[in-house]
Structures are given as C-alpha cells and as structure tokens.
Amino acid sequence: MRLSTVEETRAFGLRLSEVLKAGDLVLLAGPLGAGKTALAQGIGAGLGVSGVTSPTFVISRVHRDGRVPLVHVDAYRLGGRLELDDLDLDASVEDSVTLVEWGEGVAEQLSSDSYLEIRISRSSDSDETRIVTLIPHGGDWSSRI
C-alpha cells in the first residue's frame, strides 16, 4: 500500500483500528521519520484514545480513555528483550492493544501466539510517499486484515 501524506497515514491507522481488539500486539518497523508515530496516532484516534505522541523520551505510555486501552511503546532506546521485560508490559497485553515502535526482534515475545508486523519504508521515487506492508504472524490476522 502506498501512502503519500501524513494525513493518509493517520487515516490508514484509523481504518486499521477497526479490526484491533484487546490482546493484539502490533509491531511498527521503519526508519526514522517513516511515519510510525503518525500511524500510531491514527490507530489511537480509531480506538478513541487521545494524546498519542511519540513515546521516545518516556519509552511507553498507557492510554486508557478509549474503547480499548492502548499501550504505546518505543523500543528504539531499549537494549533488548530484558529491558523490555523490565517495563512489565506483559501485565497489560491481554487487556490492551499493544503497539511497539522499533519492536522487531525485541517485542515479539509479548504475545504467545500472534502479532501483526507493519513495515513502513520510503518509496524510491518520492521522499513523501511511504510503502506500508502488513505481515501477519499467527492467530487470525490474515482473516482480519
């Protein structure tokens, strides 16, 4: 899928939120500035969550004001799985949508059987256009997306 603007990225997140439910783990992968936080903002808006911003400096934020709580994590500065475990996120995974930026290779263990990986890359023909790839891992993701 090709997204040309930040607004399109947020709108895609809003549409994606319609299939998300408590217990879902979503990993966002892509280079700096790819649009991971804009996608997270769209997902948050669709879940009825307010105030989704980049969690870079606080590492994780829990938003409880939506139809499903959203745990938004930035694993960029974490040193690996042990530091992620120290955040004790597994205590809220079953009751929340857990969205982890920079989570590939670090956060997959938060879900015992399934997660959705979303890869965002820049198009080779435009600095503005992003290519978004959804990669389902287990569970019922293939039928939901």
Side-chain angles (χ1 to χ4, degrees):
M1 164 181 328
R2 295 173 71 86
L3 303 172
S4 298
T5 65
V6 171
E7 291 78 20
E8 284 182 11
T9 303
R10 286 189 184 114
F12 172 69
L14 188 72
R15 288 191 315 272
L16 181 62
S17 73
E18 295 172 4
V19 302
L20 297 177
K21 60 186 180 186
D24 283 346
L25 173 63
V26 180
L27 306 184
L28 301 179
L32 283 170
K36 295 180 293 295
T37 299
L39 183 61
Q41 289 170 335
I43 290 170
L47 294 176
V49 167
S50 60
V52 175
T53 61
S54 177
T56 299
F57 297 105
V58 295
I59 301 179
S60 70
R61 294 182 194 271
V62 179
H63 303 273
R64 299 185 193 283
D65 57 337
R67 70 172 171 85
V68 177
L70 174 66
V71 177
H72 185 200
V73 180
D74 187 325
Y76 183 74
R77 293 184 300 131
L78 296 179
R81 291 180 183 183
L82 291 177
E83 287 188 24
L84 183 65
D85 286 343
D86 287 343
L87 296 176
D88 199 26
L89 295 176
D90 55 341
S92 59
V93 168
E94 290 181 14
D95 303 322
S96 308
V97 170
T98 303
L99 185 64
V100 184
E101 297 186 30
W102 303 95
E104 65 279 4
V106 177
E108 294 88 350
Q109 84 278 358
L110 290 174
S111 176
S112 60
D113 61 349
S114 73
Y115 62 95
L116 177 64
E117 180 180 354
I118 302 176
R119 296 203 157 272
I120 305 172
S121 60
R122 291 186 178 94
S123 171
S124 60
D125 59 337
S126 168
D127 281 344
E128 302 298 316
T129 302
R130 304 296 191 252
I131 308 297
V132 177
T133 307
L134 304 178
I135 307 164
H137 294 270
D140 64 348
W141 283 110
S142 293
S143 63
R144 285 200 275 160
I145 59 171

